[in-house]
Amino acid sequence: VQLVESGGGLVQPGGSLRLSCEASGLFLDDYHIGWFRQVPGKEREGVSCLSGRDGSTYYAESVKGRFTISRDSAKNTVYLQMNNLKPEDTGEYYCAALDVKKMSAQAFCVLYGMDYWGEGILVTVSS
């Protein structure tokens, strides 16, 4: 199984980025896919998760209304569209997967349980 993130980079406050998580070796219907971010000195945060079971979504309060998670099953890829980015969104973003049988997508985001994860990609929001 591999999860490969792409789409990160440097963006000004108020700008947008779209992160991609391309999965290989697993079927999206069998896994919740989530985006997590890590900032030095802070706890890892579950940003957004997408249920493989029913397509339901979960968002951290800090990103609600600005971020949208979606998937393209044909490409086995999950996206995180990030709009109106703020400096506090800066961090290393990781894509992770968890078997849908283990817990709900929301619990996945909150408890950080994961079976597989990518190497991470840096997002920097700065003027």
Side-chain angles (χ1 to χ4, degrees):
V1 174
Q2 266 196 317
L3 300 175
V4 179
E5 302 98 338
S6 62
L10 173 64
V11 64
Q12 292 187 341
S16 297
L17 283 174
R18 188 178 77 159
L19 303 183
S20 299
C21 173
E22 184 175 0
S24 58
L26 61 80
F27 292 107
L28 293 183
D29 285 351
D30 295 332
Y31 287 85
H32 304 312
I33 303 295
W35 287 96
F36 298 80
R37 66 184 175 196
Q38 181 74 60
V39 178
K42 292 188 177 181
E43 285 192 7
R44 181 173 48 187
E45 177 184 22
V47 175
S48 182
C49 293
L50 176 67
S51 172
R53 188 189 298 276
D54 60 13
S56 59
T57 57
Y58 169 84
Y59 296 95
E61 284 296 326
S62 58
V63 306
K64 277 184 180 178
R66 300 188 297 122
F67 290 12
T68 303
I69 192 169
S70 63
R71 79 181 208 187
D72 183 333
S73 297
K75 296 182 179 179
N76 228 37
T77 299
V78 174
Y79 303 99
L80 185 68
Q81 178 66 44
M82 306 186 295
N83 297 329
N84 190 22
L85 282 159
K86 303 176 180 181
E88 52 264 40
D89 294 317
T90 294
E92 191 82 11
Y93 283 70
Y94 296 87
C95 173
L98 180 74
D99 189 312
V100 298
K101 296 187 291 294
K102 292 188 176 181
M103 64 179 71
S104 70
Q106 179 172 343
F108 172 37
C109 250
V110 174
L111 299 176
Y112 315 142
M114 53 190 72
D115 291 327
Y116 307 103
W117 56 91
E119 293 188 353
I121 193 163
L122 183 62
V123 171
T124 304
V125 184
S126 176
S127 55

